[in-house]
Amino acid sequence: MTIFARITGTGSCLPVRRLSNQDLVEQLAQQGIETSDEWIVERTGIRARHFAADGEFSSDLAAHACRQAMEAARAKPAEIDLIIVATSTPDMVFPSTAALLQHKLGISGCPVFDVQAVCSGFVYALTVANAMIQNGSARKALVVGAEVFSRILDFNDRTTCVLFGDGAGAVVLEASDTTGILASDLHADGQYAGILCVPGHVSGGQISGDPTLKMDGQAVFKLAVGVLEEAARAVLVKAGKTESDIDWLIPHQANIRIMQSTARKLKLPMDKVVVTVDQHGNTSAASIPLALDCAVRDGRIQPGQTLLLEGVGGGFTWGAVLLNF
Ligand code: UT7
């Protein structure tokens, strides 16, 4: 009998500290950096973001999101037999954030690891977990996106520091005899590594190079709108579906203009697109599961609906997952 993997619970976490655009404008003005609410809203759709407190790490946000997801799925920690965390802002160089999360959840023994695919991380992690469930390696997985991007921002660079926020989202993905994940489509092209990166590294006990985020926004924008359409079409073809089968598009939340462009190309009205970028900013690997959980909890997403999740980001990486919720 074919084994499918279904999402049976979702959860999320945002740090308490919320900064509106105006809060950030005032903070940056004290450093002599000029920006405005109008510029940020018009170019990105972002109105606010959350920043983690000192001493609050990706694994802390992830733990909160996972507890919510397990409660929603009525899953006990002892039943979890796989944890995958998508993050580019791990607590430590090693061990993995997944290992630290596992301990915080009171789980031990099962395989755990991080996936590093930047803003595409959650669709990568979901694809890996789906494959492990389908091949019998796991039956009940936690798949998480968790980030504290505020730690890697250069607050002297107004072209990037207004764009990102912190948060986490999680799902319980379970073996099932009814369909869940229908198809996935993942890609990467390392020739574009330089357009979105944190080039620093640890060497000889010191940070060598710049440990803050660098982005050529226009180059990323152009690539993103092209590959997101391709990935969406590819995953629909793989699943034998068409655009009209999509109930909800849950794209990576980087820029409202990129989401509008993808929706237009897929002939989807914006009221079928889950948008949280206005309140969360870009939370990288956390953005898709955070948006998913918001729309599940407010009742927009209903059991049985068809969801298209898609991400794009540093690497360059991109991909999509189509699923029955
Ligand atoms: O998560 C991974 C995926 N990431 C993305 O998808 C991000 C993709 N890129 C984007 O979303 C957009 O390119 C940005 C939002 C980053 C930038 O928007 P843009 O429309 O491409 O603006 P731009 O870079 O062309 O900059 C336009 C102007 C420039 O001034 P001049 O040269 O025209 O005088 C910038 O210096 O806006 C200026 N600018 C700002 N002004 C006020 C840049 N940042 C700011 C700012 N406040 N924060």
Side-chain angles (χ1 to χ4, degrees):
M1 197 176 66
T2 310
I3 306 173
F4 298 100
R6 282 190 79 88
I7 292 176
T8 54
T10 66
S12 63
C13 176
L14 289 163
V16 173
R17 187 170 163 229
R18 178 183 183 274
L19 280 92
S20 67
N21 285 348
Q22 196 51 40
D23 294 332
L24 197 55
V25 167
E26 284 164 22
Q27 182 183 307
L28 293 173
Q30 287 172 11
Q31 298 159 220
I33 307 293
E34 204 182 309
T35 184
S36 66
D37 175 51
E38 296 72 36
W39 190 94
I40 303 169
V41 172
E42 188 192 316
R43 301 290 176 130
T44 71
I46 297 167
R47 293 178 185 277
R49 74 285 293 140
H50 292 248
F51 283 166
D54 290 345
E56 191 172 37
F57 293 97
S58 290
S59 67
D60 297 311
L61 305 178
H64 193 93
C66 286
R67 287 189 193 102
Q68 274 193 355
M70 286 191 290
E71 198 181 322
R74 295 192 179 83
K76 294 190 182 69
E79 294 167 350
I80 299 298
D81 56 7
L82 171 68
I83 301 176
I84 308 180
V85 177
T87 186
S88 298
T89 46
D91 296 20
M92 302 179 183
V93 172
F94 71 80
S96 67
T97 302
L100 303 172
L101 169 67
Q102 183 197 39
H103 182 61
K104 283 180 180 167
L105 295 173
I107 299 170
S108 63
C110 69
V112 304
F113 57 93
D114 288 0
V115 162
Q116 165 46 302
V118 201
C119 305
S120 311
F122 187 74
V123 289
Y124 267 68
L126 204 54
T127 302
V128 174
N130 178 47
M132 290 181 72
I133 287 175
Q134 289 202 309
N135 75 17
S137 306
R139 289 198 62 81
K140 204 170 280 199
L142 280 168
V143 187
V144 191
E147 303 281 14
V148 285
F149 258 55
S150 60
R151 303 264 159 78
I152 54 166
L153 297 176
D154 175 357
F155 285 95
N156 289 308
D157 176 8
R158 68 176 184 172
T159 69
T160 53
C161 73
V162 300
L163 305 176
F164 295 88
D166 302 339
V171 301
V172 173
L173 191 73
E174 293 194 31
S176 164
D177 50 15
T178 55
T179 57
I181 292 181
L182 300 169
S184 92
D185 186 63
L186 300 180
H187 299 274
D189 190 341
Q191 72 172 299
Y192 298 110
I195 63 172
L196 179 48
C197 59
V198 177
H201 60 275
V202 176
S203 176
Q206 306 282 328
I207 293 172
S208 179
D210 191 334
T212 61
L213 185 146
K214 307 288 164 231
M215 179 165 74
D216 176 345
Q218 287 193 2
V220 172
F221 193 104
K222 264 187 222 143
L223 272 175
V225 292
V227 298
L228 286 173
E229 183 190 6
E230 277 170 35
R233 295 206 185 284
V235 87
L236 287 168
V237 168
K238 281 185 185 176
K241 303 271 185 195
T242 66
E243 294 96 318
S244 61
D245 293 310
I246 300 169
D247 292 303
W248 292 101
L249 172 65
I250 308 173
H252 170 49
Q253 309 282 318
N255 187 319
I256 189 68
R257 293 187 287 141
I258 296 176
M259 290 184 251
Q260 287 163 339
S261 159
T262 306
R264 219 169 17 247
K265 289 176 177 175
L266 297 177
K267 298 191 173 59
L268 288 175
M270 278 308 283
D271 59 10
K272 284 192 166 193
V273 183
V274 178
V275 176
T276 54
V277 72
D278 55 333
Q279 295 304 318
H280 302 167
N282 181 345
T283 58
S284 192
S287 88
I288 294 172
L290 252 169
L292 171 67
D293 184 54
C294 286
V296 168
R297 281 175 196 273
D298 69 21
R300 274 179 288 170
I301 293 178
Q302 291 294 318
Q305 289 187 324
T306 301
L307 315 184
L308 176 60
L309 279 46
E310 55 174 4
V312 60
F316 210 67
T317 57
W318 66 98
V321 171
L322 191 75
L323 59 91
N324 277 340
F325 186 71

